[in-house]
């Protein structure tokens, strides 16, 4: 089973935030700090078209969508993170193609209030980062190639739960990110199949968020 995230679906990089026990509607305000954000439903390809077209988006570019609704929601702009959120089991997952917005410490802390959150970043150049937080505290934050250099407050906790360090040590260094991520996902219970990203999901845009 192929899991989300992966570079086949997001070949220009991705950042994904997993949060346990919360809905997409409730996670967006934690991310943007705005209770009045207005999500709309878009699928993965529609999201990419919206990002590429920017303010030049026209109705024929996304025929299945209401362009007036997209405009009033703030979805149509020339730059800024476009975030799509869905659920699988007990977890909500938020996907950002390319940019690193969801890897910000303040977002991870906010998303993890009264629960746990996992942020996974991989850029087109291959740079990667994984962060894990519980109730507003980032416990682990590291580059899988250098797991011994962890910026979290209590990094051993994530390894105790998931055993990801052994997966890195025993695996190919070139696959350190993949090996650590999958071990962590299965350990935490957020192993989301890539098919969960196939349909339309609630999405928001954060103009100027980068």
């Amino acid at each position: 089973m192929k899991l989300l995230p992966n570079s086949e679906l997001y070949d220009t990089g991705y950042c994904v935030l997993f949060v346990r026990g919360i809905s997409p509607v409730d996670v967006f305000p934690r991310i943007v700090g705005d209770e009045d954000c207005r999500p709309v439903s878009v699928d993965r390809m529609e999201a990419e078209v919206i990002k590429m077209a920017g303010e030049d988006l026209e109705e024929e570019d996304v025929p299945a969508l209401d362009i007036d609704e997209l405009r009033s929601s703030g979805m149509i702009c020339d730059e800024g993170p476009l975030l799509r959120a869905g659920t699988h089991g007990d977890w909500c997952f938020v996907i950002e193609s390319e940019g690193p917005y969801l890897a910000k410490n303040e977002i991870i802390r906010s998303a993890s209030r009264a629960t746990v959150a996992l942020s996974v970043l991989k850029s087109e150049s291959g740079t990667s980062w994984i962060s894990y937080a519980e109730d507003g505290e980032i416990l682990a934050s590291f580059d899988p190639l250098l797991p011994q250099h962890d910026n979290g407050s209590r990094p051993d906790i994530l390894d105790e739960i998931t055993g990801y360090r052994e997966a890195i040590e025993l695996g190919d260094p070139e696959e350190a990110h993949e090996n650590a991520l999958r071990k962590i996902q299965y350990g935490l219970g957020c192993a989301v199949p890539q098919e969960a990203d196939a349909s339309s999901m609630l999405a928001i845009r954060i103009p100027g968020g980068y």
Side-chain angles (χ1 to χ4, degrees), residues 31 40 69 116:
I31 291 171
V40 296
E69 181 184 25
V116 301

Side-chain angles (χ1 to χ4, degrees), residues 112-117 132-139 154 157 161:
S112 71
R113 291 195 314 266
T115 185
V116 301
Y132 172 73
E134 295 182 0
D135 196 18
E137 180 181 4
I138 297 177
L139 304 186
R154 291 181 288 164
I157 289 178
I161 296 171

Side-chain angles (χ1 to χ4, degrees), residues 14 16 27 35 39 42-44 52-53 55 84 96 106 111 114 119 122 139-140 147 150 159 168 187 198:
Y14 57 77
V16 178
V27 80
E35 296 293 337
V42 300
D43 64 28
R44 185 173 67 251
M52 290 178 62
E55 293 185 355
R84 297 171 61 244
E96 173 190 8
E106 59 267 31
S119 173
K122 188 169 186 179
L139 304 186
D150 196 305
D159 188 46
I168 294 175

Side-chain angles (χ1 to χ4, degrees), residues 4-199:
L4 186 76
N6 65 62
S7 296
E8 291 183 18
L9 291 181
Y10 296 96
D11 58 1
T12 57
Y14 57 77
C15 193
V16 178
L17 181 68
F18 299 91
V19 188
R20 187 163 61 198
I22 190 170
S23 71
V25 171
D26 292 328
V27 80
F28 283 141
R30 294 189 178 204
I31 291 171
V32 301
D34 183 0
E35 296 293 337
D36 296 324
C37 59
R38 299 172 58 188
V40 296
S41 293
V42 300
D43 64 28
R44 185 173 67 251
M45 297 308 297
E46 288 167 341
E48 292 304 313
V49 170
I50 291 168
K51 285 180 59 179
M52 290 178 62
E55 293 185 355
D56 295 326
L57 186 74
E58 298 181 358
E59 290 186 19
E60 55 265 31
D61 297 327
V62 283
L65 302 179
D66 183 331
I67 198 160
D68 290 331
E69 181 184 25
L70 294 176
R71 186 171 288 108
S72 64
S73 71
M75 190 69 63
I76 300 176
C77 62
D78 281 336
E79 64 173 16
L82 195 161
L83 313 176
R84 297 171 61 244
T87 57
H88 182 77
D90 294 333
W91 290 79
C92 171
F93 57 94
V94 188
I95 304 167
E96 173 190 8
S97 174
E98 298 179 279
Y101 187 81
L102 291 173
K104 291 183 177 182
N105 286 344
E106 59 267 31
I107 289 176
I108 300 166
R109 292 190 186 100
S110 177
S112 71
R113 291 195 314 266
T115 185
V116 301
L118 175 71
S119 173
V120 183
L121 168 70
K122 188 169 186 179
S123 70
E124 187 176 13
S125 66
T127 301
S128 61
W129 200 266
I130 295 174
S131 296
Y132 172 73
E134 295 182 0
D135 196 18
E137 180 181 4
I138 297 177
L139 304 186
S141 185
F142 62 97
D143 179 339
L145 285 174
L146 300 166
Q148 68 275 22
H149 300 297
D150 196 305
N151 297 325
S153 60
R154 291 181 288 164
D156 288 345
I157 289 178
L158 182 61
D159 188 46
E160 290 170 4
I161 296 171
T162 67
Y164 76 87
R165 289 180 184 168
E166 183 179 26
I168 294 175
E169 292 169 2
L170 298 179
D172 185 335
E174 293 186 0
E175 298 177 359
H177 170 80
E178 184 83 4
N179 292 338
L181 173 58
R182 299 319 180 201
K183 192 71 172 178
I184 291 170
Q185 284 184 280
Y186 280 111
L188 293 177
C190 58
V192 177
Q194 71 173 23
E195 290 77 15
D197 183 31
S199 59

